[in-house]
Amino acid sequence: QKEVEQDPGPLSVPEGAIVSLNCTYSNSAFQYFMWYRQYSRKGPELLMYTYSSGNKEDGRFTAQVDKSSKYISLFIRDSQPSDSATYLCAGSSNTGKLIFGQGTTLQVKP
Amino acid sequence: DAGVIQSPRHEVTEMGQEVTLRCKPISGHDYLFWYRQTMMRGLELLIYFNNNVPIDDSGMPEDRFSAKMPNASFSTLKIQPSEPRDSAVYFCASSRNTGLHGYTFGSGTRLTVV
């Protein structure tokens, strides 16, 4: 079993929809959680990070962590075609070693 | 800031040949990570360095893979001999401190072994 599990999709939504992306993880030592966005043929770029459980909001993006159920979510409001990309969740303990999920491919159709 | 610089961007080589991938981290970053990305396995951590010292190489698939960081501004990942199953995109990333607020990734090297 991978330490971080993520449905690869693809997920296709119409422009303006609310998108929900989810991951589960198995390592109880994870304290830090991140979402990266990766456009085709580019390196991943950090979108959001959170520490421990709770919510964090940044513009149209909300990251949510529930440590009791080992569940990580990313919500995108008012999705845009420019949001079309692969979204990778990741977790880490305090070692700095970041473990990634498989990534979910999102397509937002105009 | 030029970001993390990787070279070459693309590499096509024949099975059995030696391949060397290069990375220049962001100045001031003291952690450097090498990842491999494939469709089947996603993004896998191969090895990471702190202050030029290898900390964890448990992700290196086998002895054919080696990585070095001779100074704070340069790292190499070498595959010798290369095999078709090594075909993947190899990313280098760097961070300040433990990177728990995120890494900065390079653009990757797309390796094809034929």
Side-chain angles (χ1 to χ4, degrees), chain A residues 34 36 38 96-98, chain B residues 35 37 39 56 100 103 110:
Chain A
M34 295 166 208
Y36 280 76
Q38 185 177 22
K97 185 175 171 180
L98 204 54
Chain B
Y35 281 84
Q37 187 175 40
M39 289 291 290
D56 185 340
L100 295 175
Y103 307 162
R110 184 172 295 273

Side-chain angles (χ1 to χ4, degrees), chain B residues 1-53:
Chain B
D1 188 347
V4 177
I5 299 172
Q6 291 187 246
S7 64
R9 288 297 308 274
H10 303 274
E11 177 81 35
V12 180
T13 191
E14 291 186 347
M15 183 174 63
Q17 296 298 305
E18 178 179 291
V19 175
T20 300
L21 312 181
R22 297 173 177 79
C23 176
K24 177 179 168 55
I26 292 173
S27 177
H29 282 192
D30 51 355
Y31 279 78
L32 184 138
F33 306 84
W34 281 100
Y35 281 84
R36 176 173 69 176
Q37 187 175 40
T38 61
M39 289 291 290
M40 290 296 293
R41 301 174 68 89
L43 205 55
E44 302 174 285
L45 178 64
L46 300 176
I47 184 171
Y48 76 97
F49 296 82
N50 176 217
N51 291 323
N52 314 337
V53 177

Side-chain angles (χ1 to χ4, degrees), chain A residues 2 32-34 36 38 41-46 49-50 86 88 92-102, chain B residues 9-10 31 33 35 37-43 45 48 56 58 91 98-103 105-107 110:
Chain A
K2 288 173 71 77
Y32 300 86
F33 304 91
M34 295 166 208
Y36 280 76
Q38 185 177 22
R41 298 187 175 269
K42 300 286 187 183
E45 56 178 342
L46 180 65
Y49 78 88
T50 55
T86 296
L88 299 141
S92 178
S93 58
N94 61 356
T95 64
K97 185 175 171 180
L98 204 54
I99 306 300
F100 285 85
Q102 187 95 355
Chain B
R9 288 297 308 274
H10 303 274
Y31 279 78
F33 306 84
Y35 281 84
Q37 187 175 40
T38 61
M39 289 291 290
M40 290 296 293
R41 301 174 68 89
L43 205 55
L45 178 64
Y48 76 97
D56 185 340
S58 59
F91 286 104
T98 54
L100 295 175
H101 293 174
Y103 307 162
F105 280 82
S107 297
R110 184 172 295 273

Side-chain angles (χ1 to χ4, degrees), chain A residues 5-110:
Chain A
E5 298 275 4
Q6 189 175 5
D7 185 339
L11 180 63
S12 183
V13 301
E15 183 175 354
I18 296 174
V19 177
S20 173
L21 303 169
N22 306 294
C23 294
T24 59
Y25 66 95
S26 59
N27 190 334
S28 299
F30 282 178
Q31 296 282 346
Y32 300 86
F33 304 91
M34 295 166 208
W35 284 94
Y36 280 76
R37 179 175 60 195
Q38 185 177 22
Y39 291 112
S40 181
R41 298 187 175 269
K42 300 286 187 183
E45 56 178 342
L46 180 65
L47 200 56
M48 296 186 74
Y49 78 88
T50 55
Y51 172 71
S52 195
S53 283
N55 293 358
K56 187 172 183 178
E57 189 173 319
D58 184 2
R60 296 185 295 111
F61 298 88
T62 300
Q64 202 170 73
V65 176
D66 182 348
K67 291 192 70 181
S68 63
S69 59
K70 296 189 174 66
Y71 203 76
I72 314 166
S73 300
L74 179 71
F75 300 95
I76 307 174
R77 291 182 297 281
D78 187 25
S79 57
Q80 303 295 308
S82 58
D83 295 329
S84 298
T86 296
Y87 290 81
L88 299 141
C89 61
S92 178
S93 58
N94 61 356
T95 64
K97 185 175 171 180
L98 204 54
I99 306 300
F100 285 85
Q102 187 95 355
T104 299
T105 300
L106 171 67
Q107 184 180 24
V108 181
K109 295 184 175 179

Side-chain angles (χ1 to χ4, degrees), chain B residues 83-94:
Chain B
E83 297 182 4
R85 61 192 166 122
D86 302 330
S87 298
V89 182
Y90 290 81
F91 286 104
C92 175
S94 71

